[in-house]
Amino acid sequence: MKRLSFLWLCLFISGCQNYDVATLTDIPPDVKQSIHSAVDNQHRPGVVIGLVNPKGTHFYSYGVSQAGGSQKLTDQSQFAVGSLAKLFTAELFETLERKGIVTRQTLLTDIWPDVKDNANTRLAYLLNHTAALPRDLSHETLSKNSTEHLLATLSREANLPADDSYSSVGMAILGLSLGQITDSDFNTQLNTEILTPLKLNETSFKPHPDLLATRHQTTIPISAPAEIPDVAYGAGGLYSTAQDLMSFLKHEMQQPEHLGWKHYQNDTFEAFYHGGDGNGHQAFIAFRPDNHVGVVLLSNSTSDDALQDIALHFIDPRMDLPNFDHRPRQQLPEETLTLYEGSYQLQDDDSGNQIQLSISANRLVYHELAPDGSTVRQTPLHAIDAQTFELADLPVVISFKGATNKADATLRFGDKAFTMVRLN
């Protein structure tokens, strides 16, 4: 689910669907079949999808809450929605702006007069990710649940607005600031202004144990992490259901502006979307203003596959539905991928080619170079497990001999095997 901003760049596709999504009265059979394939081929335990269009609201659920269990997922199952929480933060800002409590030009130093802000940050810069702030909250900020440590990031030197650079730090600061300016806290304000009026009864920063789907890596249950500390609530930590997210989406589709949403536009249509990864849960939400089509997608697994393409197929039916016949893939932590970065050479290879492995978009990339430096092949690697990877565009498997930063590997192509010797 890391490819969100690139998907529509690849719409040179054939085999367009014949149906008009705006006139559907149910989730169509080919979409259901794609979801079945994802679950039946062990990519993930279950999927919930919701579609809204001028004909109504339609949900479809397939799979179970925990791999090997019998409790089925439904549109009332609860998931950690990750960065979708940022959309709720933006909606709270818009609500308070309409009430005259904040403006986009409000300075953070007006809210936090004792904080050193060397860039005169306005709330608008936090909303549109142009505040020159780090992407992720520091371990110290999270472990200490420290507002002081979070606000200390504002001491950077920058001319704003800066270039667009996605920042959870900025959204966390925005959430804290919306609580501070109302002499309250972010969670209370979110409940008062957004969750209660929209009747989002199963959306909360505290999960409902009877509704919460188990977290998985593909179909392997993983231990739930500690709850997100409230210093980060503006950026993540929210739990919700397909029903609640659909209600939120319908509300958003009626608004004149869509602050906080990612935006896509081509010559045919525009769309707004956002994705979230809840460490063992995945979420995606999108809509088109022109045909009043919106979609919500939830799954109880973190898996490196094309599941979100099912949702995007509703936004643009020219996008092919994904195929899940391949082996399930893992999303490995960056510290694991870092072990394999480096240069390699095939043993007994007289060509002199070198293979460089690097990290991009949270996955390894295979880059084979000729002796003159020209590219022979460059393609992502899909993780099968913590030591086994498969080229995205060829049936080539690379198996490392150990999860260390010195390990050699075996490269297999069909019935042939080659030793990849690490050079650095």
Side-chain angles (χ1 to χ4, degrees), residues 258-286:
H258 310 295
L259 299 181
W261 291 71
K262 297 181 181 181
H263 180 236
Y264 169 82
Q265 186 161 11
N266 64 17
D267 293 337
T268 306
F269 69 91
E270 69 172 344
F272 295 88
Y273 67 99
H274 212 294
D277 187 333
N279 190 15
H281 289 161
Q282 289 179 346
F284 183 76
I285 189 169

Side-chain angles (χ1 to χ4, degrees), residues 88 92 187-204 244 247-248 251:
F88 288 79
L92 177 59
N187 191 18
T188 298
Q189 284 300 304
L190 187 67
N191 275 283
T192 300
E193 302 288 355
I194 307 298
L195 303 185
T196 299
L198 294 181
K199 299 180 180 179
L200 307 183
N201 298 324
E202 306 305 340
T203 300
S204 171
D244 275 10
S247 296
F248 178 75
H251 170 77

Side-chain angles (χ1 to χ4, degrees), residues 55-134:
K55 295 295 183 179
T57 305
H58 324 284
F59 291 99
Y60 183 71
S61 306
Y62 185 72
V64 292
S65 180
Q66 179 168 333
S70 58
Q71 183 178 347
K72 295 184 181 299
L73 286 181
T74 74
D75 51 28
Q76 288 290 347
S77 298
Q78 197 178 53
F79 301 81
V81 299
S83 286
L84 295 196
K86 295 178 175 70
L87 300 179
F88 288 79
T89 304
E91 183 63 26
L92 177 59
F93 170 85
E94 291 183 87
T95 300
L96 297 181
E97 183 183 41
R98 287 191 293 269
K99 292 185 174 185
I101 297 173
V102 295
T103 74
R104 299 175 202 197
Q105 301 309 310
T106 299
L107 289 165
L108 283 179
T109 49
D110 293 338
I111 303 173
W112 309 94
D114 297 329
V115 169
K116 183 179 181 181
D117 179 3
N118 291 327
N120 294 321
T121 308
R122 300 183 186 277
L123 296 189
Y125 304 150
L126 302 177
L127 271 167
N128 58 28
H129 300 274
T130 57
L133 290 167

Side-chain angles (χ1 to χ4, degrees), residues 154-415:
L154 295 169
S155 64
R156 81 281 186 231
E157 300 282 349
N159 292 318
L160 302 184
D163 292 339
D164 187 348
S165 182
Y166 187 81
S167 174
S168 291
V169 169
M171 293 303 291
I173 291 174
L174 178 60
L176 287 176
S177 300
L178 297 180
Q180 178 75 7
I181 202 168
T182 54
D183 295 321
S184 180
D185 62 79
F186 174 72
N187 191 18
T188 298
Q189 284 300 304
L190 187 67
N191 275 283
T192 300
E193 302 288 355
I194 307 298
L195 303 185
T196 299
L198 294 181
K199 299 180 180 179
L200 307 183
N201 298 324
E202 306 305 340
T203 300
S204 171
F205 288 105
K206 300 299 179 185
H208 192 303
D210 295 332
L211 300 178
L212 185 66
T214 301
R215 302 169 189 260
H216 297 81
Q217 172 68 257
T218 60
T219 56
I220 302 170
I222 60 176
S223 299
E227 297 301 322
I228 299 293
D230 55 20
V231 71
Y233 279 176
L238 202 62
Y239 296 85
S240 192
T241 67
Q243 281 276 4
D244 275 10
L245 287 177
M246 183 59 74
S247 296
F248 178 75
L249 177 59
K250 290 177 182 178
H251 170 77
E252 179 63 31
M253 291 170 69
Q254 297 171 3
Q255 304 309 306
E257 286 188 280
H258 310 295
L259 299 181
W261 291 71
K262 297 181 181 181
H263 180 236
Y264 169 82
Q265 186 161 11
N266 64 17
D267 293 337
T268 306
F269 69 91
E270 69 172 344
F272 295 88
Y273 67 99
H274 212 294
D277 187 333
N279 190 15
H281 289 161
Q282 289 179 346
F284 183 76
I285 189 169
F287 69 94
R288 278 176 60 166
D290 64 325
N291 64 358
H292 309 290
V293 166
V295 62
V296 168
L297 182 70
L298 293 166
S299 178
N300 52 343
S301 176
T302 298
S303 185
D304 186 12
D305 61 21
L307 185 77
Q308 70 189 26
D309 288 8
I310 297 175
L312 290 173
H313 174 77
F314 280 142
I315 300 300
D316 189 340
R318 293 176 298 169
M319 174 166 281
D320 286 339
L321 287 163
N323 183 303
F324 296 94
D325 292 341
H326 57 81
R327 289 190 292 178
R329 299 159 182 164
Q330 307 286 327
Q331 276 191 323
L332 300 179
E334 187 168 342
E335 54 266 29
T336 299
L337 299 178
T338 301
L339 297 173
Y340 307 124
E341 281 190 297
S343 298
Y344 299 79
Q345 194 166 35
L346 295 183
Q347 198 172 61
D348 302 324
D349 179 16
D350 297 331
S351 70
N353 289 1
Q354 284 194 13
I355 298 168
Q356 294 182 357
L357 300 185
S358 60
I359 299 174
S360 177
N362 202 40
R363 64 168 51 137
L364 281 179
V365 175
Y366 173 102
H367 191 187
E368 184 175 351
L369 299 167
D372 64 1
S374 61
T375 294
V376 176
R377 177 176 297 278
Q378 186 170 11
T379 187
L381 288 170
H382 295 304
I384 305 304
D385 57 42
Q387 295 177 216
T388 309
F389 299 82
E390 187 173 49
L391 267 68
D393 57 355
L394 276 179
V396 173
V397 175
I398 297 174
S399 302
F400 289 89
K401 298 178 180 179
T404 73
N405 58 6
K406 297 181 179 179
D408 294 339
T410 299
L411 183 150
R412 289 185 172 83
F413 180 60
D415 59 357

